[in-house]
Structure formats: structure tokens, C-alpha cells
Amino acid sequence: MSTQFAEETIEKSVNFAPVCRSEELEPGWGEALLLDGAQVALFRTEANSFYAASHHCPTTGAKVMARGILGGTMVDGRPVETVACPLHKEVYRLDNGTCLNADSPALPIHELVEADGQLWLQQTR
Ligand code: FES
């Protein structure tokens, strides 16, 4: 599939917006993004997986999640990639947002797709 075809297909079929090239994200780190008024945290793990989540900590609403600490753990015998809030260290799954170490609301996760080195974020509005 050509890059142009992939981009046109993703953009038209499911309302995704191009956000950045995947190589622009540093492995093991996050970056904050403002898209249509929504603050989003983008993450690239050390294993080169890409995730998007709300930049707001679900526990306090603090806009800090892009500065969270990436890591991983085992859940039901399977490896799960995680982000810990940098303030009080509550740990959230990056695949579904579930909080693993407290009775806290889930971290909202956004659909993020990589195609030919381009990251596409599902628009929230
Ligand atoms: S501010 Fe995020 S866990 Fe407290």
C-alpha cells in the first residue's frame, strides 16, 4: 500500500487526524498535544509501541500525564505497558486505561494508528 493511499484511507474512513511522525517521539517518553481543544498525551515506549491518552490525570485533573513514567507489568500472565502519573504515581494500563494500584477512574485512551511512519489520532469531536 502506498503512503498516499494509506493516508487518504485512514483520514477519510475513520476521522483520524495526522499528528506527527513516529520518529519525532523519543522512546520511553511522552509529549503533550493540543488537538481541537483537547489536551492529549502521546507516548512511545522503549519497545516502540505508540499510545495516546488524556493529558489530564483522572484522579485530580492535573494536566501532567505526558510527563508520566512509562513502564510495564504482568496482568493475568500477560505483559502490559503502563504509565504512572508523575505526581502521586498511580499506574494506568496504556491499552485500556485501567488503574492498577488504586481505586481510581480509568485514564481515557484515544485510538492512535501508525502507518508508514505517520501517527494518526482519532479525533475526539
Ligand atoms: S495527580 Fe495523578 S495520581 Fe495524583
Side-chain angles (χ1 to χ4, degrees):
M1 180 169 21
S2 74
T3 301
Q4 182 177 358
F5 178 79
E7 291 177 358
E8 289 175 358
T9 301
I10 291 170
E11 190 170 23
K12 289 179 181 170
S13 64
V14 286
N15 199 27
F16 279 74
V19 289
C20 68
R21 303 288 302 168
S22 54
E23 73 235 16
E24 294 178 283
L25 297 180
E26 186 176 342
W29 199 243
E31 293 291 342
L33 165 78
L34 185 63
L35 181 66
D36 295 332
Q39 294 191 33
V40 177
L42 299 178
F43 300 104
R44 178 179 180 178
T45 69
E46 293 286 353
N48 287 318
S49 298
F50 297 90
Y51 296 96
S54 172
H55 187 44
H56 299 248
C57 173
T59 303
T60 66
K63 300 172 184 106
V64 296
M65 293 310 294
R67 289 295 168 257
I69 303 148
L70 294 176
T73 189
M74 298 294 283
V75 175
D76 297 330
R78 294 183 177 178
V80 172
E81 293 179 297
T82 60
V83 60
C85 176
L87 293 182
H88 302 114
K89 310 301 185 282
E90 293 190 358
V91 177
Y92 300 91
R93 290 176 62 153
L94 283 168
D95 59 347
N96 65 17
T98 300
C99 184
L100 295 174
N101 65 342
D103 186 22
S104 295
L107 176 68
I109 302 295
H110 302 292
E111 189 75 25
L112 185 69
V113 174
E114 184 191 27
D116 294 325
Q118 177 69 49
L119 292 176
W120 298 81
L121 180 66
Q122 188 170 27
Q123 293 178 299
T124 55
R125 297 179 188 194

